[in-house]
Amino acid sequence: MLPKGANLQKIRDGKRTYAITPHLPGGFIKPEMMEKYAQVARKYGGILKLTSAQRIMITGLKAEDIENIWQDLDMQAALGYANCVRSVKICPGVTFCKRGKQDSVKLGLELDRRYIKKEMPSRMKMGVSGCANSCSEAIIKDIGVIGSDVGWTVYVGGSAGSHRKLSGRIVPGCRNPIGNERVWIVE
Ligand code: SF4
């Protein structure tokens, strides 16, 4: 059986190794936490791997160590269900980047707080970028938010991988003639 909070990484010569990935909102990490990662990886013979979702995975682990590793780390696992909001990728925005137009860190952390691991009909990824350079790859996320001089633009339907696709911008359409509420369309 799969150890709780771990993914099977490899089966070599009949031996299985596992990885764990703690939740790390926006990829921001304090030095003390970074030291804890290193201590845990060293203690259990693991390797640290930076992931595309701005997390630090510890891989090369044994099944029997997984429970103790989570206790040592005292962190939550990044992933909940297969079909859920799996990541909110955040660029440095106005907080750290000279090109930033909007506060992607603040918005991204709030989206992470509200939606990460929330169950969805399928896997979902979000991205928040502080300007059109889209360094968090917001333009290829299921939901992407990109900052400009005047505010935020929301994009939907992007994807990377084997069915790659740029997302479409959500813009206001005509008013619904019956209900009179605003209708939004994807360009
Ligand atoms: S998207 Fe813009 S604000 Fe964000 S890191 Fe890239 S250049 Fe900076």
Side-chain angles (χ1 to χ4, degrees), residues 68-84:
N68 289 336
I69 290 170
W70 280 119
Q71 272 177 17
D72 286 2
L73 277 173
D74 194 22
M75 295 175 81
Q76 297 293 314
L79 300 178
Y81 320 95
N83 291 336
C84 67

Side-chain angles (χ1 to χ4, degrees), residues 44 58-59 73 101 103 116 120 123 130 141 143 171-172:
Y44 295 97
I58 310 179
T59 188
L73 277 173
K101 303 284 187 189
D103 193 344
I116 199 75
M120 292 285 157
R123 293 169 175 228
K141 301 296 186 206
I143 298 178
V171 294

